[in-house]
Amino acid sequence: MVLHDHAHSGEDETELVIARNARLGRWLFVGYLALYLGYMWMVSFRPDLMRMMPGGGLNTAIWYGFGLIIAAIVLSFVYGWLCRKKDSAP
Amino acid sequence: MIYIPSITAIAIFAAFVAFTLGLSFYFARKTSSASSYFAAGGQIHWFVNGVAFAGDYLSAASFLGICGMIAFYGYDGFLYSIGFLAGWIVALLVVAEPLKRLGKYTFADALDAKFRSPGIKLAAGISTLVVSLFYLIPQMVGAGALVRPLLGFNHATGVCLVGAIVVLIVVTAGMVSTTYVQFLKGSLLVVFSTILTVAILNRGFHVDSTDDPNVHPRVVATLAGQETPMITEGWQGGVYQRTKNSQTGEVTVWRQMPNGATSQFYECQTITLTHDGKKLVNGKPQGTESGEGDLFPVGSVVNLPDGATETGPLGPMSFFRTLEGSTVLLWTEDKTKITDHDGNVTTVYYPKPTSGSDVLLPGNSPTFSGLRQEGLLPKLNFLSLMLALFFGTASLPHILIRYYTVKDQSAARKSTVVGITSIGFFYVLTLYIGLGAMTGGTLDVTNSNMAAPLLSRGFGEFLFACISAIAFTTVLGTVAGLIVAAAGAVVHDLLTGFCKMELTDHEKVRIGRIGAIGVGMLAIVLGILFEKMNVSFLVGWAFSVAASANMPSLAMLLFWRGTTRQGIIAGIMVGMISSLGWVLLSADAFKDVYGLDPKQSLVPFNQPGIVTIPLGFATVFLVSLLTRGKQTAAASN
């Protein structure tokens, strides 16, 4: 669904590009949401998993927590990079 | 604890304030149109806007609150870091671009782009004001709490001082000066937090010798010898032993605590309110003269792996590895106060040896203790809060308006990427800073908000001065953003949008400035009134209301064609009222706001998100279905 109102700003992205970006955004969002819900589940219901030491002397709680933050940063760069084309490649 | 104000901190803070006010007055000359006052003319560069996002978002709750919570309880504070940051993904991927495309000045604009309904403007305007106000109160309370130890003023003076400076910033040049203040603050916060983290890693951990009687807390195997028992009625049969030193006459309170296979007597700290209104700290009047005493700073490691006494510099991973194998001393306030026959009431703060592995797992704090209990109900607070933080970030009006200060969608997207990177990096640092404060020997047992500034003092007066000044500017930056959002709601959504007042550009700016003064004064009054309230409680409240009132309407509007204007209005109102009502009826509110027994509260857990966010979505959906017919009929007439 695309709502557009070009009257307000100097938008230079075509409708097709906007739709593509929105689709991409939705998929990436679903992926991150799954990661985040997984974290919520593990913290609440699997403290035994949180205690495990997958490596480096850090427990899963710290790895997963840092992982969510780093994933957010990486994901934002990926999204920004994939959206950079302003012409209409679908 | 007594804090000696640092002249350097005052000087640096004064310099920051002078610089930001100078900037504001410089920009004031160029800020005459509504577009430039409320939205900086849409001309802010995406990089500046991105760092300004960080400066806008990272408030006292993040820097002081989270680091303080980690310092006292360990991992739990970091749960807030994760929740606060994850919400930006919703902003980036779901909200940023459509919002930019649809609106001009405020979030209500975007909601209303399709319908042009005064009802939507009214509902969204009210929601903006409510959320902004609830977010403002903890900022002002935080400012007052900071000012006392750092600058030596009392709470009310601090609140007025911060309020006055912010109102000046906003009244002169609105969004333009606000943006540059936030940019400045965001950069400084990230830079100095990095410096502090490097200092923490470089110092590593060390264990204090228990033989030295000048090292506090004292730890002894037995209380025989010089310490003679001093038991009075209130202390009899309790967990504490009170002794008097036969040589020095000093009175000490001890508690026997297990440490691994052995147990030892640990020196506790006390604050006594005497029957005639005097305050004694550790048995003596509080002060620095001879015969007076004060709380001693705390936060230490009692055992390191392999019996080492110090580790030397550590890397980012070996820091955790080492802590995992260590034992730290965590301090808690005993909620049971001891009343003596003479009417003296004593609060005891006692240390508890805790394993590093325990500290690095969730569930150690009172807020999240439910995570270590069985069953679903105790965990609902945590789940609810994490949902509210996730959906709340992208629903905060003062964050959303920042999208209107850049040129176009592509700039909105790029600035969010910069914002996420700065904010995410900062939140990674909070775990190091918090744990550094936990082990740094500088904590005040009565005040967790001061953990980060006090830690920096341990590294030197100059770093402390900078960190304190930055802690202040964190409040300035966020409060400025909130006041601009509230002023925008008043002028743009309520007066022009709902009341349909015809205002010229010039009049809009003038009313915006008056609105800023009004909201600023209200914020000052509330900041003084709510001095004793728990700051994170209020911030969580603001997130829950934003997530319940704003997100469902916005998301449904963007992703479901069937959303009607009545659905949006209903969604906002139901979300706002249900989440507000829930919080006002919660155990936390009973305890901290009304002073009643928390067990009498009417709701099963404190955080409403898990109930009120879905309720908001359901409301938009159902009401839209019910009113869809009317809209189609109206359209075809």
Side-chain angles (χ1 to χ4, degrees), chain B residues 6 23-24 28 45 51 71 131-132 207 209 266 275 289 299 301 303 390 442 472 479 512 515 557 585 609:
Chain B
S6 153
L23 257 186
S24 304
H45 185 268
V51 181
V131 173
S132 301
V207 177
S209 151
Y266 286 83
H275 56 277
E289 308 289 311
V301 179
N303 295 118
F390 190 66
T442 50
F472 262 114
V479 175
L557 173 71
L585 296 173

Side-chain angles (χ1 to χ4, degrees), chain A residues 25-41 64 68 75, chain B residues 86 89-90 93-94 386-387 390-391:
Chain A
R26 274 201 286 281
W27 278 111
L28 289 175
F29 170 70
V30 166
Y32 194 81
L33 180 63
L35 267 178
Y36 189 73
L37 290 174
Y39 180 75
M40 282 168 61
W41 167 79
Y64 207 153
L68 275 171
L75 200 128
Chain B
I89 290 296
V90 180
L93 300 176
V94 175
M386 294 305 271
L387 281 178
F390 190 66
F391 291 111

Side-chain angles (χ1 to χ4, degrees), chain B residues 276-533:
Chain B
D276 50 355
K278 285 206 275 282
K279 178 170 152 185
L280 299 175
V281 173
N282 287 337
K284 299 180 191 158
Q286 194 173 30
T288 48
E289 308 289 311
S290 128
E292 294 178 326
D294 194 16
L295 295 169
F296 52 82
V298 299
S300 52
V301 179
V302 287
N303 295 118
L304 279 173
D306 303 321
T309 48
E310 67 174 62
T311 63
L314 293 167
M317 300 215 330
S318 55
F319 181 82
F320 293 115
R321 223 176 11 247
T322 310
L323 191 58
E324 184 81 33
S326 308
T327 311
V328 295
L329 218 53
L330 295 182
W331 286 75
T332 322
E333 176 185 334
D334 195 334
K335 295 296 177 197
T336 321
K337 303 204 194 302
I338 297 179
T339 312
D340 255 328
H341 59 276
D342 52 5
N344 290 357
V345 179
T346 303
T347 309
V348 182
Y349 298 87
Y350 66 94
K352 185 171 150 199
T354 313
S355 73
S357 55
D358 214 31
V359 147
L360 292 175
L361 286 168
N364 204 31
S365 71
T367 319
F368 296 118
S369 57
L371 289 172
R372 295 192 176 176
Q373 294 166 26
E374 295 297 319
L376 175 61
L377 191 62
K379 315 210 159 103
L380 284 174
N381 258 339
F382 163 72
L383 293 170
S384 202
L385 178 68
M386 294 305 271
L387 281 178
L389 297 183
F390 190 66
F391 291 111
T393 299
S395 318
L396 294 172
H398 67 293
I399 297 297
L400 297 176
I401 51 168
R402 192 142 277 304
Y403 283 112
Y404 298 117
T405 61
V406 290
K407 209 169 43 137
D408 54 26
Q409 279 180 111
S410 152
R413 183 189 318 127
K414 284 192 266 197
S415 61
T416 312
V417 174
V418 172
I420 290 180
T421 308
S422 341
I423 294 170
F425 180 63
F426 172 78
Y427 280 131
V428 165
L429 298 178
T430 56
L431 190 54
Y432 289 100
I433 296 175
L435 294 173
M438 179 192 271
T439 56
T442 50
L443 292 176
D444 173 353
V445 287
T446 59
N447 188 342
S448 68
N449 286 329
M450 288 297 290
L454 287 173
L455 169 72
S456 64
R457 198 163 216 176
F459 289 110
E461 206 59 27
F462 182 68
L463 188 60
F464 171 65
C466 291
I467 297 270
S468 312
I470 289 168
F472 262 114
T473 35
T474 53
V475 179
L476 289 186
T478 306
V479 175
L482 287 165
I483 294 184
V484 172
V490 167
V491 171
H492 198 67
D493 303 332
L494 296 177
L495 293 181
T496 319
F498 176 68
C499 300
K500 300 230 192 278
M501 279 174 72
E502 296 279 335
L503 295 170
T504 65
D505 223 42
H506 183 73
E507 280 170 333
K508 283 184 187 170
V509 177
R510 198 158 56 91
I511 298 183
R513 286 183 160 133
I514 297 172
I517 296 175
V519 175
M521 287 177 60
L522 186 58
I524 289 175
V525 166
L526 292 172
I528 294 175
L529 281 178
F530 280 82
E531 179 183 349
K532 300 291 178 198
M533 270 223 65

Side-chain angles (χ1 to χ4, degrees), chain B residues 159-180:
Chain B
V159 173
C160 289
L161 178 70
V162 169
I165 296 171
V166 176
V167 168
L168 265 177
I169 292 173
V170 176
V171 162
T172 44
M175 186 51 109
V176 180
S177 46
T178 299
T179 303
Y180 286 102

Side-chain angles (χ1 to χ4, degrees), chain B residues 561-581:
Chain B
R561 234 173 264 271
T563 310
T564 64
R565 69 179 168 80
Q566 294 93 330
I568 289 184
I569 297 172
I572 295 176
M573 299 311 290
V574 167
M576 181 167 55
I577 293 170
S578 63
S579 53
L580 269 182

